[in-house]
Amino acid sequence: MKSMIRKLATGAAVLVCLGTAPAAFAQNKPHIGVAIPAATHGWAGGVVYWANRTKAELEKQYPGLKVTVKTAGSAAEQANQVQDLHTANKIDTLVILPFESAPLTQPVAQLKSKGVYVTVVDRGLTDASAQDAYVAGDNPGFGKVSAEYMAKALGGKGDVVVLRGIPTVIDNQRVDAFNAVMATHPGIKVLDAKHGNWNRDDAFKVMQDYLTRFKKIDAVWASDDDMAVGVQKAIDQAKRSDIKLVLGGAGSKEYIKKVMDGDKLVTADVTYSPSMIADAMKLTAAARVKGEKVAATTIIPSVLITKENAKQYYEPASPF
């Protein structure tokens, strides 16, 4: 049921596109390259799972359509893969979730200049003219919803630390929106914000540094469920009892279960499903088969998960 929110934004478009696509298929048999980060953390693991699952579904639905999925462990590797997808695999369509925004902008722009149709997912490029379509969660909404919940939970007063993700456009959007809400709460002080790179181990190190430098922390915006794992590990090891709230994000099954079970520190989460890669692939495939374009921008809302609605989003069979 976690996919319900996603479908509010894109489901209608998917159904419209997919409903009439087979009739036009004889004219268009696209080869879609899908470039995504490797499963370096839980959310990315979910992206890999959904990309491969959707590849099989699309190739079955549209005989003759081909989907090639590539995973990369770094921005440099992904930039090389993007080039290879065009020169070696002969793709005419690219769906890419950039490992990082800036290093992938020029490689993607080069493909677009050669006639490749480009759908960018999640981590936007630094130059929007390098893409034909953009599919993402509501990143400003993600930061806003998180900050509003945290401010309310703290009663408008307290000291907060922030863990940022990988340096990307979406990370900037989330943090800017979070800070904008906090600016309206003068009783809350953001002590520091450092990059934990959406990684448990990196987040553990960042949180250790915070715990050493700040003797009083009321709440942590981990901004990602994987980073929240590292944060909680550091808190447990330091035996700190001053922290009242750890707020992650993305809606992992582990953290939704914590919310459901009434965890002392984890009382809420915010949706940002890795299945958005599936939405982007389906929208792009349907449009390309018909020789049409995907909507320039598709945004999937971020929703607050609390104990009251957590069961709607809990999917124990999911890899994330």
Side-chain angles (χ1 to χ4, degrees):
M1 298 235 1
K2 185 165 59 179
S3 61
M4 287 176 61
I5 300 301
R6 185 183 75 252
K7 290 178 181 176
L8 288 175
T10 63
V14 172
L15 289 173
V16 170
C17 291
L18 297 186
T20 58
F25 185 75
Q27 284 90 22
N28 298 290
K29 296 182 180 180
H31 183 175
I32 302 173
V34 179
I36 54 178
T40 54
H41 61 287
W43 192 87
V47 170
V48 174
Y49 166 81
W50 282 105
N52 284 308
R53 171 173 161 170
T54 306
K55 163 186 162 68
E57 291 173 355
L58 291 174
E59 290 181 339
K60 181 179 180 180
Q61 182 171 6
Y62 303 115
L65 175 144
K66 186 174 181 180
V67 179
T68 300
V69 178
K70 297 282 188 180
T71 61
S74 69
E77 182 182 6
Q78 190 176 51
N80 289 332
Q81 287 180 349
V82 165
Q83 184 177 16
D84 288 345
L85 280 167
H86 184 244
T87 58
N89 298 101
K90 308 298 183 184
I91 65 166
D92 52 55
T93 305
L94 176 68
V95 176
I96 180 169
L97 198 162
F99 198 96
E100 293 180 25
S101 299
L104 270 301
T105 298
Q106 187 58 31
V108 172
Q110 288 176 350
L111 257 65
K112 186 173 183 290
S113 71
K114 295 175 181 177
V116 175
Y117 188 90
V118 176
T119 298
V120 173
V121 186
D122 185 40
R123 303 173 191 174
L125 301 173
T126 56
D127 180 1
S129 69
Q131 67 198 26
D132 292 285
Y134 179 60
V135 178
D138 183 2
N139 287 288
F142 184 94
K144 180 176 183 288
V145 168
S146 299
E148 288 174 344
Y149 178 80
M150 182 169 286
K152 183 178 180 180
L154 292 176
K157 297 179 181 179
D159 295 328
V160 174
V161 293
V162 173
L163 285 87
R164 305 186 59 164
I166 292 172
T168 52
V169 171
I170 68 165
D171 181 66
N172 293 338
Q173 291 173 340
R174 293 177 178 186
V175 175
D176 288 348
F178 181 89
N179 288 338
V181 172
M182 288 307 180
T184 67
H185 296 276
I188 295 178
K189 183 179 180 181
V190 178
L191 300 174
D192 203 353
K194 291 185 177 297
H195 291 281
N197 302 315
W198 295 314
N199 180 277
R200 297 184 182 195
D201 293 336
D202 291 350
F204 174 74
K205 294 173 185 175
V206 171
M207 193 62 202
Q208 279 187 317
D209 173 65
Y210 286 161
L211 292 168
T212 300
R213 290 194 289 126
F214 304 118
K215 300 307 177 186
K216 175 180 172 289
I217 298 173
D218 293 295
V220 183
W221 184 41
S223 76
D224 174 80
D225 291 338
D226 273 307
M227 290 199 293
V229 173
V231 165
Q232 288 197 273
K233 182 180 177 181
I235 292 171
D236 290 344
Q237 286 192 5
K239 294 182 170 57
R240 288 281 289 266
S241 59
D242 50 318
I243 299 164
K244 306 177 183 70
L245 172 66
V246 174
L247 182 60
S252 73
K253 63 183 180 183
E254 178 181 356
Y255 270 74
I256 291 176
K257 188 67 163 59
K258 284 177 179 284
V259 173
M260 289 170 60
D261 292 346
D263 187 279
K264 181 180 178 181
L265 294 182
V266 181
T267 55
D269 203 81
V270 180
T271 61
Y272 201 86
S273 175
S275 62
M276 68 177 67
I277 190 68
D279 289 329
M281 291 169 66
K282 290 175 182 178
L283 286 167
T284 302
R288 294 294 284 163
V289 162
K290 295 196 296 179
E292 297 180 353
K293 294 182 178 180
V294 181
T297 302
T298 301
I299 299 299
I300 303 161
S302 286
V303 176
L304 182 70
I305 300 172
T306 62
K307 192 169 184 178
E308 288 68 34
N309 66 354
K311 287 183 180 179
Q312 299 177 33
Y313 302 95
Y314 183 56
E315 295 184 4
S318 169
F320 176 74

